[in-house]
């Protein structure tokens, strides 16, 4: 079964018509959004592009006792049925993580949309426990996983994953080699060595794709903070990072599209 997945940090969706228009052009079956507010949730529901939606604003978030500034959303086209939201530990910051089971004619997936704390301020202290908790949670899930994530890392996305540089070493538990899920872009490059060679010729130290620019205008670093990860056994057909298109639609993160095959 072929499945198209879209993952995107929409930064609150300031121009919903443009951002939803870009998403509609990609025709994803599964939508994994990060950093959405109530107005973005309403815009997605009102668009009727996906028959089923769930979001972190639809239910209370445990005992953190903090004001929410953003959230996550998962949507699916009609052939997929979304179950109830799955519990995630408090260390995963439930307002920034949404997990759900999706089923289709006997096939089941665990979908996760999440965005990690930044490497600044309070987030710098939260990142180690966040990634350790996420790795443990992913390892405990039995159904195949599809995860869309703004990881706010790695610090360096090197073509050789063993040479990646991390803001905190715990990131490697989720983003490094041997993690419970696999990066669809690295899987795709593994099947397309000529394309990897072409990318490395221009960017020998990475990133493997352009998804976010950190730093100041005129003096910035290209980063790949955004990615889709899947459980071993899920095949990767194609991957696209739509950075310029996303910027024109008023986001500073690339829209990531992956075509996968459920075997």
């Amino acid at each position: 079964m072929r499945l198209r997945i879209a993952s995107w940090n929409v930064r609150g969706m300031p121009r919903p018509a443009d951002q939803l228009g870009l998403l509609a052009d990609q025709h994803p079956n599964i939508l994994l959004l990060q950093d959405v507010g109530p107005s973005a949730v309403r815009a997605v529901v009102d668009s009727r592009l996906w028959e089923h939606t769930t979001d972190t604003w639809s239910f209370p978030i445990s005992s953190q006792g903090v004001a929410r500034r953003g959230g996550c959303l998962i949507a699916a086209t009609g052939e997929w049925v979304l179950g109830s939201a799955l519990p995630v530990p408090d260390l995963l910051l439930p307002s920034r993580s949404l997990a759900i089971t999706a089923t289709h004619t006997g096939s089941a997936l665990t979908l996760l949309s999440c965005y990690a704390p930044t490497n600044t301020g309070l987030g710098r202290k939260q990142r180690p426990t966040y990634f350790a908790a996420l790795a443990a949670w992913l390892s405990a899930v039995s159904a195949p996983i599809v995860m869309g994530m703004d990881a706010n890392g790695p610090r360096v996305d090197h073509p050789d994953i063993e040479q990646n540089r991390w803001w905190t070493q715990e990131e490697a538990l989720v983003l490094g080699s041997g993690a419970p899920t696999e990066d669809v872009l690295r899987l795709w490059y593994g099947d397309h060595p000529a394309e990897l060679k072409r990318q490395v010729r221009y960017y020998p130290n990475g990133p493997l794709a352009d998804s976010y620019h950190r730093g100041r205008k005129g003096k910035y670093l290209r980063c790949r903070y955004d990615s889709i990860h899947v459980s071993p056994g899920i095949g990767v057909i194609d991957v696209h990072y739509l950075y310029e298109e996303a910027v024109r639609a008023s986001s500073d993160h690339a829209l990531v599209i992956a075509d996968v095959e459920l075997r």
Side-chain angles (χ1 to χ4, degrees):
M1 180 193 308
R2 185 165 175 161
L3 179 65
R4 173 162 279 202
I5 303 153
S7 179
W8 198 7
N9 182 325
V10 293
R11 289 296 194 189
M13 196 174 277
R15 285 163 43 194
D18 292 338
Q19 290 174 298
L20 287 168
L22 178 57
L23 284 167
D25 289 343
Q26 311 311 313
H27 304 288
N29 307 100
I30 300 292
L31 178 64
L32 307 171
L33 295 186
Q34 304 90 43
D35 201 359
V36 297
S39 62
V41 172
R42 289 193 298 272
V44 172
V45 172
D46 291 345
S47 74
R48 301 185 183 275
L49 293 169
W50 300 272
E51 287 83 353
H52 313 294
T53 62
T54 188
D55 62 272
T56 54
W57 291 94
S58 298
F59 49 87
I61 56 162
S62 75
S63 59
Q64 290 184 55
V66 294
R68 282 184 280 184
R69 288 193 271 177
C72 294
L73 178 146
I74 295 175
T77 49
E79 65 270 22
W80 286 89
V81 178
L82 300 182
S84 301
L86 302 173
V88 296
D90 280 354
L91 289 175
L92 280 187
L93 310 175
S95 66
R96 303 173 70 103
S97 306
L98 177 61
I100 201 163
T101 299
T103 56
H104 177 277
T105 60
S107 297
L109 288 174
T110 295
L111 304 176
L112 174 64
S113 180
C114 57
Y115 58 122
T118 63
N119 189 52
T120 58
L122 178 61
R124 185 172 297 173
K125 296 180 180 179
Q126 293 173 328
R127 282 179 75 82
T129 54
Y130 177 90
F131 280 97
L134 179 55
W137 189 89
L138 293 171
S139 297
V141 173
S142 57
I145 299 167
V146 172
M147 174 176 69
M149 183 180 195
D150 168 14
N152 281 301
R155 187 172 184 176
V156 174
D157 175 52
H158 198 278
D160 177 3
I161 196 170
E162 301 299 336
Q163 297 188 55
N164 270 14
R165 293 176 61 193
W166 315 102
W167 297 110
T168 176
Q169 195 57 40
E170 287 80 3
E171 293 171 40
L173 299 173
V174 174
L175 306 176
S177 59
T181 56
E182 299 176 283
D183 180 347
V184 295
L185 184 61
R186 289 187 181 272
L187 289 173
W188 187 84
Y189 273 131
D191 292 334
H192 298 82
E195 294 297 330
L196 177 60
K197 184 177 181 180
R198 185 177 296 111
Q199 178 74 9
V200 171
R201 183 187 308 156
Y202 291 104
Y203 302 103
N205 297 310
L208 288 176
D210 194 2
S211 90
Y212 180 75
H213 293 172
R214 77 174 190 261
R216 297 184 300 273
K217 186 176 181 180
K219 188 178 181 181
Y220 61 82
L221 292 174
R222 301 167 67 254
C223 304
R224 188 167 73 98
Y225 280 1
D226 306 272
S227 52
I228 294 173
H229 295 249
V230 295
S231 294
I234 295 179
V236 179
I237 301 168
D238 209 351
V239 183
H240 301 281
Y241 274 71
L242 306 181
Y243 178 76
E244 297 296 339
E245 296 90 336
V247 169
R248 287 195 293 270
S250 197
S251 177
D252 56 355
H253 284 258
L255 167 60
V256 186
I257 301 291
D259 293 307
V260 303
E261 184 176 8
L262 308 181
R263 297 165 181 165

